[in-house]
mmCIF file of all heavy atoms in Angstrom:
data_model
loop_
_atom_site.group_PDB
_atom_site.id
_atom_site.type_symbol
_atom_site.label_atom_id
_atom_site.label_comp_id
_atom_site.label_asym_id
_atom_site.label_seq_id
_atom_site.Cartn_x
_atom_site.Cartn_y
_atom_site.Cartn_z
ATOM 1 N N PHE A 225 -43.117 9.056 85.229
ATOM 2 C CA PHE A 225 -42.056 9.082 86.235
ATOM 3 C C PHE A 225 -41.828 7.723 86.885
ATOM 4 O O PHE A 225 -41.213 7.626 87.937
ATOM 5 C CB PHE A 225 -42.403 10.122 87.313
ATOM 6 C CG PHE A 225 -42.600 11.506 86.748
ATOM 7 C CD1 PHE A 225 -43.864 11.973 86.416
ATOM 8 C CD2 PHE A 225 -41.507 12.335 86.503
ATOM 9 C CE1 PHE A 225 -44.047 13.236 85.867
ATOM 10 C CE2 PHE A 225 -41.684 13.595 85.947
ATOM 11 C CZ PHE A 225 -42.952 14.055 85.642
ATOM 12 N N ASN A 226 -42.361 6.665 86.262
ATOM 13 C CA ASN A 226 -42.301 5.349 86.890
ATOM 14 C C ASN A 226 -40.890 4.842 87.132
ATOM 15 O O ASN A 226 -40.624 4.232 88.173
ATOM 16 C CB ASN A 226 -43.115 4.338 86.075
ATOM 17 C CG ASN A 226 -44.588 4.430 86.447
ATOM 18 O OD1 ASN A 226 -44.954 4.088 87.564
ATOM 19 N ND2 ASN A 226 -45.408 4.945 85.558
ATOM 20 N N THR A 227 -39.986 5.110 86.191
ATOM 21 C CA THR A 227 -38.596 4.648 86.359
ATOM 22 C C THR A 227 -37.979 5.269 87.604
ATOM 23 O O THR A 227 -37.409 4.574 88.459
ATOM 24 C CB THR A 227 -37.748 5.065 85.127
ATOM 25 O OG1 THR A 227 -38.511 4.780 83.956
ATOM 26 C CG2 THR A 227 -36.427 4.360 85.086
ATOM 27 N N GLN A 228 -38.093 6.603 87.700
ATOM 28 C CA GLN A 228 -37.476 7.311 88.837
ATOM 29 C C GLN A 228 -38.156 6.910 90.151
ATOM 30 O O GLN A 228 -37.495 6.676 91.172
ATOM 31 C CB GLN A 228 -37.599 8.833 88.649
ATOM 32 C CG GLN A 228 -36.786 9.416 87.501
ATOM 33 C CD GLN A 228 -37.463 9.258 86.135
ATOM 34 O OE1 GLN A 228 -38.618 8.836 86.024
ATOM 35 N NE2 GLN A 228 -36.732 9.584 85.093
ATOM 36 N N LEU A 229 -39.494 6.832 90.113
ATOM 37 C CA LEU A 229 -40.224 6.513 91.343
ATOM 38 C C LEU A 229 -39.948 5.095 91.813
ATOM 39 O O LEU A 229 -39.856 4.834 93.022
ATOM 40 C CB LEU A 229 -41.733 6.730 91.126
ATOM 41 C CG LEU A 229 -42.153 8.202 91.042
ATOM 42 C CD1 LEU A 229 -43.613 8.331 90.601
ATOM 43 C CD2 LEU A 229 -41.949 8.909 92.390
ATOM 44 N N THR A 230 -39.801 4.174 90.871
ATOM 45 C CA THR A 230 -39.506 2.794 91.251
ATOM 46 C C THR A 230 -38.178 2.725 91.989
ATOM 47 O O THR A 230 -38.063 2.069 93.039
ATOM 48 C CB THR A 230 -39.493 1.879 90.004
ATOM 49 O OG1 THR A 230 -40.752 2.041 89.344
ATOM 50 C CG2 THR A 230 -39.294 0.431 90.374
ATOM 51 N N LYS A 231 -37.173 3.430 91.467
ATOM 52 C CA LYS A 231 -35.864 3.446 92.147
ATOM 53 C C LYS A 231 -35.998 4.029 93.557
ATOM 54 O O LYS A 231 -35.419 3.519 94.514
ATOM 55 C CB LYS A 231 -34.876 4.306 91.355
ATOM 56 C CG LYS A 231 -34.255 3.546 90.206
ATOM 57 C CD LYS A 231 -33.021 4.282 89.685
ATOM 58 C CE LYS A 231 -32.710 3.805 88.274
ATOM 59 N NZ LYS A 231 -32.148 4.855 87.430
ATOM 60 N N ILE A 232 -36.774 5.099 93.649
ATOM 61 C CA ILE A 232 -36.962 5.732 94.960
ATOM 62 C C ILE A 232 -37.673 4.773 95.917
ATOM 63 O O ILE A 232 -37.240 4.583 97.064
ATOM 64 C CB ILE A 232 -37.744 7.061 94.814
ATOM 65 C CG1 ILE A 232 -36.858 8.115 94.122
ATOM 66 C CG2 ILE A 232 -38.227 7.570 96.166
ATOM 67 C CD1 ILE A 232 -37.577 9.403 93.771
ATOM 68 N N LEU A 233 -38.730 4.131 95.452
ATOM 69 C CA LEU A 233 -39.520 3.266 96.341
ATOM 70 C C LEU A 233 -38.764 2.003 96.756
ATOM 71 O O LEU A 233 -39.015 1.449 97.832
ATOM 72 C CB LEU A 233 -40.875 2.938 95.715
ATOM 73 C CG LEU A 233 -41.776 4.169 95.483
ATOM 74 C CD1 LEU A 233 -43.161 3.760 95.023
ATOM 75 C CD2 LEU A 233 -41.872 5.047 96.724
ATOM 76 N N ASP A 234 -37.830 1.587 95.919
ATOM 77 C CA ASP A 234 -36.966 0.453 96.288
ATOM 78 C C ASP A 234 -36.206 0.721 97.582
ATOM 79 O O ASP A 234 -35.880 -0.205 98.335
ATOM 80 C CB ASP A 234 -35.921 0.204 95.181
ATOM 81 C CG ASP A 234 -36.517 -0.609 94.035
ATOM 82 O OD1 ASP A 234 -37.647 -1.111 94.206
ATOM 83 O OD2 ASP A 234 -35.864 -0.712 92.965
ATOM 84 N N GLY A 235 -35.906 1.970 97.842
ATOM 85 C CA GLY A 235 -35.163 2.339 99.060
ATOM 86 C C GLY A 235 -36.054 2.528 100.280
ATOM 87 O O GLY A 235 -35.582 2.973 101.325
ATOM 88 N N LYS A 236 -37.344 2.211 100.158
ATOM 89 C CA LYS A 236 -38.302 2.308 101.281
ATOM 90 C C LYS A 236 -38.251 3.672 101.996
ATOM 91 O O LYS A 236 -37.967 3.760 103.201
ATOM 92 C CB LYS A 236 -38.056 1.206 102.321
ATOM 93 C CG LYS A 236 -38.064 -0.208 101.754
ATOM 94 C CD LYS A 236 -39.327 -0.948 102.177
ATOM 95 C CE LYS A 236 -39.496 -2.313 101.524
ATOM 96 N NZ LYS A 236 -39.649 -2.287 100.058
ATOM 97 N N PRO A 237 -38.554 4.739 101.284
ATOM 98 C CA PRO A 237 -38.458 6.084 101.882
ATOM 99 C C PRO A 237 -39.605 6.375 102.859
ATOM 100 O O PRO A 237 -40.701 5.837 102.708
ATOM 101 C CB PRO A 237 -38.567 7.003 100.667
ATOM 102 C CG PRO A 237 -39.408 6.230 99.698
ATOM 103 C CD PRO A 237 -39.038 4.775 99.892
ATOM 104 N N ASP A 238 -39.309 7.244 103.824
ATOM 105 C CA ASP A 238 -40.364 7.739 104.724
ATOM 106 C C ASP A 238 -41.158 8.831 104.018
ATOM 107 O O ASP A 238 -42.311 9.098 104.351
ATOM 108 C CB ASP A 238 -39.747 8.344 105.990
ATOM 109 C CG ASP A 238 -38.890 7.346 106.744
ATOM 110 O OD1 ASP A 238 -39.315 6.170 106.830
ATOM 111 O OD2 ASP A 238 -37.792 7.730 107.211
ATOM 112 N N ALA A 239 -40.486 9.517 103.089
ATOM 113 C CA ALA A 239 -41.137 10.622 102.379
ATOM 114 C C ALA A 239 -40.440 10.833 101.039
ATOM 115 O O ALA A 239 -39.319 10.357 100.832
ATOM 116 C CB ALA A 239 -41.046 11.907 103.214
ATOM 117 N N ILE A 240 -41.124 11.542 100.151
ATOM 118 C CA ILE A 240 -40.512 11.903 98.859
ATOM 119 C C ILE A 240 -40.446 13.422 98.791
ATOM 120 O O ILE A 240 -41.404 14.109 99.186
ATOM 121 C CB ILE A 240 -41.345 11.353 97.671
ATOM 122 C CG1 ILE A 240 -41.342 9.821 97.672
ATOM 123 C CG2 ILE A 240 -40.825 11.897 96.332
ATOM 124 C CD1 ILE A 240 -42.198 9.193 96.580
ATOM 125 N N TYR A 241 -39.310 13.935 98.326
ATOM 126 C CA TYR A 241 -39.199 15.381 98.120
ATOM 127 C C TYR A 241 -39.254 15.647 96.618
ATOM 128 O O TYR A 241 -38.447 15.122 95.846
ATOM 129 C CB TYR A 241 -37.882 15.891 98.722
ATOM 130 C CG TYR A 241 -37.774 17.413 98.711
ATOM 131 C CD1 TYR A 241 -38.766 18.193 99.303
ATOM 132 C CD2 TYR A 241 -36.686 18.058 98.114
ATOM 133 C CE1 TYR A 241 -38.668 19.584 99.302
ATOM 134 C CE2 TYR A 241 -36.581 19.443 98.115
ATOM 135 C CZ TYR A 241 -37.585 20.204 98.710
ATOM 136 O OH TYR A 241 -37.492 21.574 98.712
ATOM 137 N N SER A 242 -40.249 16.468 96.202
ATOM 138 C CA SER A 242 -40.487 16.742 94.787
ATOM 139 C C SER A 242 -40.518 18.259 94.551
ATOM 140 O O SER A 242 -41.586 18.869 94.530
ATOM 141 C CB SER A 242 -41.819 16.078 94.372
ATOM 142 O OG SER A 242 -42.145 16.395 93.034
ATOM 143 N N PRO A 243 -39.356 18.880 94.379
ATOM 144 C CA PRO A 243 -39.299 20.346 94.271
ATOM 145 C C PRO A 243 -39.463 20.812 92.823
ATOM 146 O O PRO A 243 -38.558 21.411 92.253
ATOM 147 C CB PRO A 243 -37.890 20.654 94.795
ATOM 148 C CG PRO A 243 -37.077 19.469 94.346
ATOM 149 C CD PRO A 243 -38.009 18.285 94.372
ATOM 150 N N ASN A 244 -40.641 20.531 92.256
ATOM 151 C CA ASN A 244 -40.866 20.804 90.830
ATOM 152 C C ASN A 244 -42.031 21.752 90.648
ATOM 153 O O ASN A 244 -42.568 22.273 91.619
ATOM 154 C CB ASN A 244 -41.097 19.464 90.129
ATOM 155 C CG ASN A 244 -39.927 18.518 90.359
ATOM 156 O OD1 ASN A 244 -38.809 18.825 89.948
ATOM 157 N ND2 ASN A 244 -40.162 17.408 91.061
ATOM 158 N N TYR A 245 -42.426 21.972 89.385
ATOM 159 C CA TYR A 245 -43.609 22.793 89.115
ATOM 160 C C TYR A 245 -44.855 21.907 89.139
ATOM 161 O O TYR A 245 -44.790 20.697 88.920
ATOM 162 C CB TYR A 245 -43.455 23.521 87.788
ATOM 163 C CG TYR A 245 -42.322 24.534 87.790
ATOM 164 C CD1 TYR A 245 -41.416 24.601 86.738
ATOM 165 C CD2 TYR A 245 -42.149 25.413 88.860
ATOM 166 C CE1 TYR A 245 -40.377 25.529 86.740
ATOM 167 C CE2 TYR A 245 -41.112 26.333 88.873
ATOM 168 C CZ TYR A 245 -40.224 26.393 87.806
ATOM 169 O OH TYR A 245 -39.194 27.302 87.819
ATOM 170 N N TYR A 246 -45.996 22.537 89.385
ATOM 171 C CA TYR A 246 -47.235 21.838 89.720
ATOM 172 C C TYR A 246 -47.680 20.723 88.780
ATOM 173 O O TYR A 246 -48.177 19.701 89.237
ATOM 174 C CB TYR A 246 -48.373 22.850 89.913
ATOM 175 C CG TYR A 246 -48.644 23.744 88.706
ATOM 176 C CD1 TYR A 246 -49.566 23.399 87.735
ATOM 177 C CD2 TYR A 246 -47.966 24.951 88.559
ATOM 178 C CE1 TYR A 246 -49.812 24.222 86.638
ATOM 179 C CE2 TYR A 246 -48.197 25.784 87.467
ATOM 180 C CZ TYR A 246 -49.116 25.412 86.497
ATOM 181 O OH TYR A 246 -49.345 26.225 85.423
ATOM 182 N N ASN A 247 -47.489 20.893 87.467
ATOM 183 C CA ASN A 247 -47.941 19.840 86.535
ATOM 184 C C ASN A 247 -47.218 18.533 86.826
ATOM 185 O O ASN A 247 -47.833 17.478 86.935
ATOM 186 C CB ASN A 247 -47.637 20.233 85.079
ATOM 187 C CG ASN A 247 -48.559 21.326 84.586
ATOM 188 O OD1 ASN A 247 -49.772 21.192 84.664
ATOM 189 N ND2 ASN A 247 -47.987 22.409 84.101
ATOM 190 N N ASP A 248 -45.894 18.649 86.969
ATOM 191 C CA ASP A 248 -45.084 17.462 87.254
ATOM 192 C C ASP A 248 -45.433 16.892 88.624
ATOM 193 O O ASP A 248 -45.595 15.681 88.777
ATOM 194 C CB ASP A 248 -43.585 17.816 87.242
ATOM 195 C CG ASP A 248 -43.090 18.218 85.851
ATOM 196 O OD1 ASP A 248 -43.921 18.279 84.925
ATOM 197 O OD2 ASP A 248 -41.874 18.474 85.703
ATOM 198 N N ASP A 249 -45.542 17.772 89.622
ATOM 199 C CA ASP A 249 -45.790 17.300 90.986
ATOM 200 C C ASP A 249 -47.111 16.543 91.087
ATOM 201 O O ASP A 249 -47.204 15.531 91.782
ATOM 202 C CB ASP A 249 -45.791 18.483 91.968
ATOM 203 C CG ASP A 249 -44.467 19.225 91.963
ATOM 204 O OD1 ASP A 249 -43.415 18.576 92.093
ATOM 205 O OD2 ASP A 249 -44.474 20.463 91.803
ATOM 206 N N GLY A 250 -48.128 17.043 90.382
ATOM 207 C CA GLY A 250 -49.433 16.375 90.378
ATOM 208 C C GLY A 250 -49.304 14.966 89.817
ATOM 209 O O GLY A 250 -49.815 13.998 90.392
ATOM 210 N N LEU A 251 -48.594 14.845 88.703
ATOM 211 C CA LEU A 251 -48.408 13.526 88.073
ATOM 212 C C LEU A 251 -47.535 12.616 88.928
ATOM 213 O O LEU A 251 -47.821 11.420 89.080
ATOM 214 C CB LEU A 251 -47.767 13.691 86.685
ATOM 215 C CG LEU A 251 -48.645 14.332 85.601
ATOM 216 C CD1 LEU A 251 -47.836 14.568 84.323
ATOM 217 C CD2 LEU A 251 -49.856 13.446 85.308
ATOM 218 N N ILE A 252 -46.479 13.187 89.492
ATOM 219 C CA ILE A 252 -45.568 12.400 90.342
ATOM 220 C C ILE A 252 -46.335 11.824 91.528
ATOM 221 O O ILE A 252 -46.219 10.632 91.843
ATOM 222 C CB ILE A 252 -44.372 13.274 90.807
ATOM 223 C CG1 ILE A 252 -43.416 13.519 89.623
ATOM 224 C CG2 ILE A 252 -43.632 12.637 91.999
ATOM 225 C CD1 ILE A 252 -42.359 14.585 89.857
ATOM 226 N N ALA A 253 -47.170 12.641 92.157
ATOM 227 C CA ALA A 253 -47.947 12.175 93.312
ATOM 228 C C ALA A 253 -48.870 11.028 92.890
ATOM 229 O O ALA A 253 -48.931 9.979 93.549
ATOM 230 C CB ALA A 253 -48.744 13.323 93.906
ATOM 231 N N LYS A 254 -49.573 11.226 91.785
ATOM 232 C CA LYS A 254 -50.499 10.185 91.312
ATOM 233 C C LYS A 254 -49.783 8.871 91.038
ATOM 234 O O LYS A 254 -50.236 7.799 91.439
ATOM 235 C CB LYS A 254 -51.129 10.652 89.990
ATOM 236 C CG LYS A 254 -52.482 11.281 90.157
ATOM 237 C CD LYS A 254 -53.105 11.468 88.801
ATOM 238 C CE LYS A 254 -54.538 11.030 88.840
ATOM 239 N NZ LYS A 254 -55.283 11.562 87.706
ATOM 240 N N GLN A 255 -48.647 8.983 90.337
ATOM 241 C CA GLN A 255 -47.920 7.778 89.941
ATOM 242 C C GLN A 255 -47.285 7.107 91.165
ATOM 243 O O GLN A 255 -47.230 5.877 91.250
ATOM 244 C CB GLN A 255 -46.899 8.111 88.856
ATOM 245 C CG GLN A 255 -47.609 8.488 87.547
ATOM 246 C CD GLN A 255 -46.689 9.083 86.465
ATOM 247 O OE1 GLN A 255 -45.487 8.835 86.482
ATOM 248 N NE2 GLN A 255 -47.265 9.838 85.552
ATOM 249 N N ALA A 256 -46.841 7.913 92.127
ATOM 250 C CA ALA A 256 -46.265 7.333 93.351
ATOM 251 C C ALA A 256 -47.336 6.559 94.117
ATOM 252 O O ALA A 256 -47.086 5.470 94.645
ATOM 253 C CB ALA A 256 -45.668 8.424 94.235
ATOM 254 N N ARG A 257 -48.549 7.105 94.164
ATOM 255 C CA ARG A 257 -49.647 6.401 94.856
ATOM 256 C C ARG A 257 -49.972 5.097 94.133
ATOM 257 O O ARG A 257 -50.207 4.071 94.781
ATOM 258 C CB ARG A 257 -50.909 7.271 94.924
ATOM 259 C CG ARG A 257 -50.752 8.626 95.642
ATOM 260 C CD ARG A 257 -50.276 8.507 97.056
ATOM 261 N NE ARG A 257 -50.179 9.810 97.728
ATOM 262 C CZ ARG A 257 -49.254 10.116 98.621
ATOM 263 N NH1 ARG A 257 -48.308 9.241 98.956
ATOM 264 N NH2 ARG A 257 -49.247 11.300 99.200
ATOM 265 N N SER A 258 -49.984 5.133 92.799
ATOM 266 C CA SER A 258 -50.278 3.908 92.036
ATOM 267 C C SER A 258 -49.238 2.837 92.307
ATOM 268 O O SER A 258 -49.529 1.642 92.264
ATOM 269 C CB SER A 258 -50.264 4.152 90.534
ATOM 270 O OG SER A 258 -51.087 5.198 90.216
ATOM 271 N N LEU A 259 -48.003 3.280 92.587
ATOM 272 C CA LEU A 259 -46.948 2.309 92.886
ATOM 273 C C LEU A 259 -46.993 1.874 94.348
ATOM 274 O O LEU A 259 -46.124 1.144 94.812
ATOM 275 C CB LEU A 259 -45.575 2.911 92.554
ATOM 276 C CG LEU A 259 -45.280 3.132 91.057
ATOM 277 C CD1 LEU A 259 -44.013 3.945 90.860
ATOM 278 C CD2 LEU A 259 -45.159 1.789 90.325
ATOM 279 N N GLY A 260 -47.964 2.384 95.094
ATOM 280 C CA GLY A 260 -48.168 1.914 96.466
ATOM 281 C C GLY A 260 -47.555 2.772 97.551
ATOM 282 O O GLY A 260 -47.538 2.381 98.714
ATOM 283 N N PHE A 261 -47.073 3.978 97.217
ATOM 284 C CA PHE A 261 -46.480 4.826 98.254
ATOM 285 C C PHE A 261 -47.562 5.666 98.941
ATOM 286 O O PHE A 261 -48.301 6.405 98.289
ATOM 287 C CB PHE A 261 -45.411 5.742 97.637
ATOM 288 C CG PHE A 261 -44.767 6.653 98.654
ATOM 289 C CD1 PHE A 261 -43.922 6.139 99.617
ATOM 290 C CD2 PHE A 261 -45.035 8.018 98.653
ATOM 291 C CE1 PHE A 261 -43.335 6.968 100.568
ATOM 292 C CE2 PHE A 261 -44.461 8.860 99.598
ATOM 293 C CZ PHE A 261 -43.608 8.325 100.557
ATOM 294 N N ASN A 262 -47.649 5.554 100.255
ATOM 295 C CA ASN A 262 -48.700 6.283 100.978
ATOM 296 C C ASN A 262 -48.181 7.388 101.879
ATOM 297 O O ASN A 262 -48.956 8.076 102.534
ATOM 298 C CB ASN A 262 -49.529 5.301 101.825
ATOM 299 C CG ASN A 262 -50.274 4.321 100.942
ATOM 300 O OD1 ASN A 262 -50.832 4.719 99.919
ATOM 301 N ND2 ASN A 262 -50.240 3.045 101.287
ATOM 302 N N GLY A 263 -46.875 7.551 101.923
ATOM 303 C CA GLY A 263 -46.288 8.554 102.818
ATOM 304 C C GLY A 263 -46.417 9.961 102.263
ATOM 305 O O GLY A 263 -46.971 10.190 101.192
ATOM 306 N N PRO A 264 -45.892 10.925 103.022
ATOM 307 C CA PRO A 264 -45.990 12.319 102.574
ATOM 308 C C PRO A 264 -45.043 12.632 101.399
ATOM 309 O O PRO A 264 -43.934 12.113 101.338
ATOM 310 C CB PRO A 264 -45.592 13.121 103.813
ATOM 311 C CG PRO A 264 -44.839 12.176 104.680
ATOM 312 C CD PRO A 264 -45.292 10.786 104.350
ATOM 313 N N ILE A 265 -45.546 13.450 100.506
ATOM 314 C CA ILE A 265 -44.715 13.991 99.440
ATOM 315 C C ILE A 265 -44.618 15.486 99.752
ATOM 316 O O ILE A 265 -45.619 16.118 100.096
ATOM 317 C CB ILE A 265 -45.347 13.737 98.056
ATOM 318 C CG1 ILE A 265 -45.634 12.232 97.896
ATOM 319 C CG2 ILE A 265 -44.433 14.248 96.941
ATOM 320 C CD1 ILE A 265 -46.382 11.869 96.631
ATOM 321 N N VAL A 266 -43.403 15.994 99.703
ATOM 322 C CA VAL A 266 -43.175 17.382 100.101
ATOM 323 C C VAL A 266 -42.558 18.128 98.929
ATOM 324 O O VAL A 266 -41.744 17.568 98.184
ATOM 325 C CB VAL A 266 -42.254 17.435 101.353
ATOM 326 C CG1 VAL A 266 -41.914 18.868 101.750
ATOM 327 C CG2 VAL A 266 -42.921 16.705 102.527
#
Side-chain angles (χ1 to χ4, degrees):
F225 302 95
N226 277 293
T227 316
Q228 292 81 8
L229 288 171
T230 305
K231 278 195 200 147
I232 290 173
L233 297 187
D234 279 350
K236 305 252 173 297
D238 302 319
I240 295 177
Y241 188 55
S242 176
N244 303 298
Y245 295 134
Y246 58 92
N247 287 306
D248 294 3
D249 300 309
L251 291 174
I252 287 168
K254 263 190 135 162
Q255 291 170 24
R257 301 302 182 215
S258 307
L259 291 170
F261 180 70
N262 295 317
I265 306 174
V266 176

